[in-house]
Amino acid sequence: MQFSENWLRSIVDPKMSSDELSHLLTMSGLEVEEVEAVAPPFSNVVVAHVVEVAKHPNADRLNVCQVDAGTGTLLNIVCGAPNVRAGMKAICAKAGALLPPGADGKPFEIKVGKLRGVESQGMMCSARELGISEETSGLMELPQDAPVGQNIRDYLGLNDLKFTIKLTPNKADCLSVLGVAREVSALTGSPLTLAPTRAVPVTSDEILAVKVSAPDLCGRFAGRVIRGLNARAATPEWMKRRLERSGQRSVSALVDISNYVMLEVGRPSHVFDLARIHGSLDVRWGKKGESLKLLNGNTVEIDEWVGVIADEKDIESLAGIMGGDSTAVSLDTTDIYLEAAFWWPNAIQGRARRYNFSTDAAHRFERGVDYATIPDHIERITALIVEICGTGDTLVGPVDDQVVNLPQRKPVQLRTARAQKVIGVPLNDDVIADIFTRLQLEFVREDSQGESGKFLVTAPSYRFDIEIEEDLIEEVARVYGFENIPANPPVAASSMLIAPEDTRSLFAIRHQLADLGYQEVVNMSFVESAWEQDFAGNDAPIRLQNPIASQLSVMRSSLIGSLVANVRYNINRKAGRVRAFEVGAVFMRNAAVQDGPLAVAGYEQPKRVAAIAYGPAADEQWGQPTRAVDFFDVKADLEALFAPRQLRFTKAEHPALHPGRCATVELDGKQIGLIGELHPRWLQKYDLPQAPVLFEVDAEALRERQVPSYTEISKFPGATRDLALVVKQDVPAQLVIDAFHAEIAVNPAGKIVQAVVLFDEYRGKGLETDEKSLAFRFSLQDTQSTLQDEAVDAIMAAVLDSAATKLSARLRA
């Protein structure tokens, strides 16, 4: 929200400096983001009257002007502006004036000098030369009633500041100069000076018939017919200045008046060209298949979720958002229909974002706009329209005010004891009552059984943020002053909790992934619905009721889609090697989940750890040839994360991954994640030149770790034996290792086996076409005695027999 300080001080003028006012607003919750001067510093610049203009004798493009600058004598000034003429009022910088700094950063001083042989005693200025506008068409022409000799800073009100405040969504009542003025008045005790609402005499009985068919869309609708206007009338300079200093550009008198009142009192309104309305109006919900061309030139599709104002032929406006192009006022408009309404906030929320734009009206209506002052604001707009655009033929109809369905304010209780406990200050009833009075909050002191310290507060019609006791406590704290709340040490005892040894933190996991060469990314939990279908096979994702962007419409159930998007983003910026990981929550439906401090009934929110690798396995170097990262590179990283715990990998299928290069990850017999290469179809769809390899595992499983325990170190030498088995090609190596471990676990001699590692796979000469050879290395050692050949041979024979029995394996000759 941007506004002029002078405009604010015309309503409430606290006895404090601009800096103090800025600090006051910030500390009350209205954060002042920027305070900017309306014009840069300059001096000795005045209103001047050009008395005479003659051609320069030595230059075709220059003129010699006789200028009255209020000094008592005419100044001889050489001017090159194309629009200078005798009789105009313009801006003159007299000799000795200091103009805004140029490119060198130094002020520009005006001196008496000669231009092409003619003495110039000053300078005629454009708005751009003074830094008050980007207009470059020539001199800034002033109205004929401008007083000659008056300082231009005073005449144009340039000793002003533009305040930009950042409002939280609950402070919609401050989306106007009046709203900010109310806050300043409550904080400082300075009185509000409001211009009285002047009712314009009704000179016509004409009423445009309006039907409100959707009371859940529109709670109150008011309008009036005004005929015989001059839409070509100029917007007054004072209004233009206030609009410009509030970030609004001047369009035309009728549009400017509507925007001005919106900024002044927070009331969005709309002006229809009455001649373009066909019959009566109907305020209703839209219908599927309807469309509307808006004022911004966009044509949007309408459905049952969007409110509209329609006549007997077409839709004329998106309710509470933007008017239609077909009934827009123009400079030829003479008859108008002026409309102001109360739109229910939940009927406006999200509608503008659906069409990928935002408007000042929607920004206010979706937060809540005063529903009690609509007739007064209609009168305010009417008075300005008649004053600026009225003619001798102007006819003003009565206000047609239809009250359909207004909010019912329920009193909210505040307990003084509760406020004291939350704020931490011993406030009494009188202090709280004074704060409520200053905030214009109606209240009743409630006494029950002789107990005081309770207030029943009813929020005014312009406040939509007061619903529970904590809202009132916030108001008390704001006005009391956050700076006045003492900084006391905490009362509760605090103690350091010992972290369990069998659990490591997510921060440790992040550091370990970074050590493996991955960089952390943080992605939104909102993703595209196509990602859920492609990468998770989820055709019924959890949809958002009010997405922040139309494409980010569902909650993710997997981290894969976001990581693929990260890779694609980097590839598009010429990054050939990408390693990224994310630690984040995913969201799935689960009827067994109950409400809790960090849980929502019906939805599971587990943490996952996922990583993706794309491009060369290592940075280009002389020590090894360049090769693309593969499944086993990422598998090794995953095993390093879980070490010393052993993972089991089982071939699987997943919608996101290559059907032949995908596996589930198991730990202690429980599936905890998946690993694999991205499916070829997604390489084509998402424009990836080569396949990345990724994994996603449960964060809780990764956090678990075994507490180290003492194991005796053998004093006796160890031994190794190699075992090469021939099996069918469809037998995974993991099944062979499982058979070995099963035998080792039950065989008394199995305790001497320390490790089993697959070190070779062979296919080719000497084997059938459907066979392969797998070679395993067994590490053997006994902690109690030297190994005997008989014991080694026995356990090797046992594991061979187990593989032969379970998998039809045979010893390779």
Side-chain angles (χ1 to χ4, degrees), residues 79-122:
C79 177
N83 64 333
V84 65
R85 69 180 190 281
M88 74 179 299
K89 294 282 184 73
I91 302 173
C92 174
K94 298 188 292 184
L98 292 176
L99 298 189
D104 60 357
K106 298 179 181 179
F108 181 67
E109 184 178 358
I110 302 299
K111 300 177 181 179
V112 176
K114 287 188 177 183
L115 290 176
R116 294 289 185 94
V118 176
E119 184 178 71
S120 183
Q121 300 168 331

Side-chain angles (χ1 to χ4, degrees), residues 699-757:
E700 289 304 312
L702 189 51
R703 292 184 64 194
E704 295 174 3
R705 62 181 177 183
Q706 295 174 341
V707 178
S709 59
Y710 172 75
T711 302
E712 183 181 2
I713 298 175
S714 177
K715 301 177 182 178
F716 303 98
T720 59
R721 291 287 180 90
D722 293 344
L723 186 64
L725 300 179
V726 177
V727 296
K728 295 296 184 183
Q729 286 200 19
D730 60 354
V731 176
Q734 183 67 54
L735 288 183
V736 182
I737 293 176
D738 290 344
F740 291 160
H741 284 302
E743 177 61 28
I744 291 168
V746 299
N747 194 308
K751 64 181 181 178
I752 67 173
V753 179
Q754 304 300 316
V756 181
V757 178

Side-chain angles (χ1 to χ4, degrees), residues 174-333:
C174 292
L175 285 168
S176 66
V177 179
L178 174 60
V180 177
R182 278 194 295 249
E183 286 290 307
V184 174
S185 176
L187 295 168
T188 64
S190 302
L192 287 174
T193 306
L194 300 174
T197 302
R198 178 174 62 87
V200 177
V202 175
T203 55
S204 168
D205 59 358
E206 182 179 5
I207 293 177
L208 178 65
V210 178
K211 176 185 177 184
V212 180
S213 301
D216 56 338
L217 166 67
C218 178
R220 186 173 188 175
F221 191 94
R224 82 182 330 162
V225 173
I226 307 177
R227 291 187 179 273
L229 296 174
N230 174 23
R232 296 180 181 273
T235 303
E237 288 299 321
W238 62 268
M239 183 178 288
K240 280 186 180 180
R241 287 198 293 269
R242 286 184 171 181
L243 287 172
E244 289 169 358
R245 294 171 192 180
S246 300
Q248 297 274 353
R249 64 181 181 88
S250 177
V251 179
S252 67
L254 290 173
V255 176
D256 290 349
I257 292 168
S258 176
N259 288 337
Y260 177 81
V261 174
M262 177 187 70
L263 294 170
E264 180 184 49
V265 298
R267 166 70 56 201
S269 60
H270 189 64
V271 182
F272 294 87
D273 189 327
L274 186 62
R276 299 183 181 185
I277 297 177
H278 308 94
S280 61
L281 296 179
D282 186 13
V283 182
R284 60 174 174 80
W285 291 105
K287 300 174 184 176
K288 193 169 183 62
E290 293 181 319
S291 63
L292 171 65
K293 183 178 181 182
L294 298 170
L295 288 172
N296 61 8
N298 295 344
T299 299
V300 297
E301 299 297 321
I302 308 296
D303 60 20
E304 298 85 352
W305 194 60
V306 181
V308 299
I309 301 176
D311 61 19
E312 296 175 3
K313 183 179 178 182
D314 298 310
I315 296 175
E316 303 301 352
S317 175
L318 277 185
I321 300 174
M322 185 181 287
D325 181 70
S326 62
T327 53
V329 294
S330 67
L331 296 180
D332 297 323
T333 298

Side-chain angles (χ1 to χ4, degrees), residues 63 136 281 411 454 537 556 576 596 624 644 652 674 704 729 775:
N63 296 295
T136 59
L281 296 179
K454 293 184 179 179
R556 64 185 180 186
Q624 65 183 55
L674 54 91
E704 295 174 3
Q729 286 200 19

Side-chain angles (χ1 to χ4, degrees), residues 528 531 562-574 578 685-688:
E528 298 181 26
W531 294 2
S562 301
L563 290 176
V564 171
N566 296 142
V567 169
R568 185 181 177 189
Y569 180 91
N570 281 274
I571 291 173
N572 290 341
R573 284 150 185 82
K574 308 302 181 184
V578 182
K685 179 175 180 179
Y686 294 98
D687 297 324
L688 298 176

Side-chain angles (χ1 to χ4, degrees), residues 105-164:
K106 298 179 181 179
F108 181 67
E109 184 178 358
I110 302 299
K111 300 177 181 179
V112 176
K114 287 188 177 183
L115 290 176
R116 294 289 185 94
V118 176
E119 184 178 71
S120 183
Q121 300 168 331
M123 173 181 170
M124 304 302 294
C125 300
S126 68
R128 185 175 187 181
E129 288 166 333
L130 296 179
I132 58 178
S133 172
E134 292 300 317
E135 182 62 43
T136 59
S137 59
L139 299 182
M140 180 177 178
E141 188 165 358
L142 303 176
Q144 284 300 311
D145 60 355
V148 173
Q150 183 177 5
N151 189 308
I152 197 65
R153 298 191 73 93
D154 297 332
Y155 178 73
L156 294 179
L158 299 180
N159 296 316
D160 191 9
L161 297 174
K162 292 185 290 185
F163 277 60
T164 302

Side-chain angles (χ1 to χ4, degrees), residues 45-57:
V45 181
V46 298
V47 177
H49 177 225
V50 180
V51 178
E52 181 182 333
V53 176
K55 279 294 185 182
H56 193 290

